[in-house]
Structures are given as C-alpha cells and as structure tokens.
Amino acid sequence: MCDGSHKGNTFTAMNYTADVMHDKWFCACKHSGTKPMCDGSHKKL
C-alpha cells in the first residue's frame, strides 16, 4: 500500500506478490540484501 511518502528521496516502491501463505517479514531498516524481505541485516547496525 503505497502512500507516496517515498517521492522526493532515493527510495522506490516495490511490488510484492506472496507465493505461499505463511508469515513474511518485510525489511524496514533498508539494509537487507534480500529486499523487500528482511534478512536480519538490522542486527549488524
């Protein structure tokens, strides 16, 4: 659900379609190597 708040900076919106039904964690720190999914990179910040 894009609210357009990324406009005017370096972030861009990404589409995501779930392939199976189970819990997924999306990256909020912007350091993940597997965007848009979280890979735990925030633990190293």
Side-chain angles (χ1 to χ4, degrees):
M1 307 247 247
C2 179
D3 65 359
S5 62
H6 60 86
K7 291 184 184 200
N9 61 39
T10 60
F11 299 117
T12 57
M14 297 181 78
N15 289 327
Y16 176 78
T17 303
D19 51 349
V20 293
M21 281 293 279
H22 61 85
D23 291 342
K24 297 277 188 170
W25 297 94
F26 288 90
C27 174
C29 75
K30 310 293 188 250
H31 289 86
S32 177
T34 59
K35 294 176 180 125
M37 308 316 295
C38 176
D39 68 359
S41 293
H42 59 275
K43 295 176 184 177
K44 299 175 190 168
L45 297 177

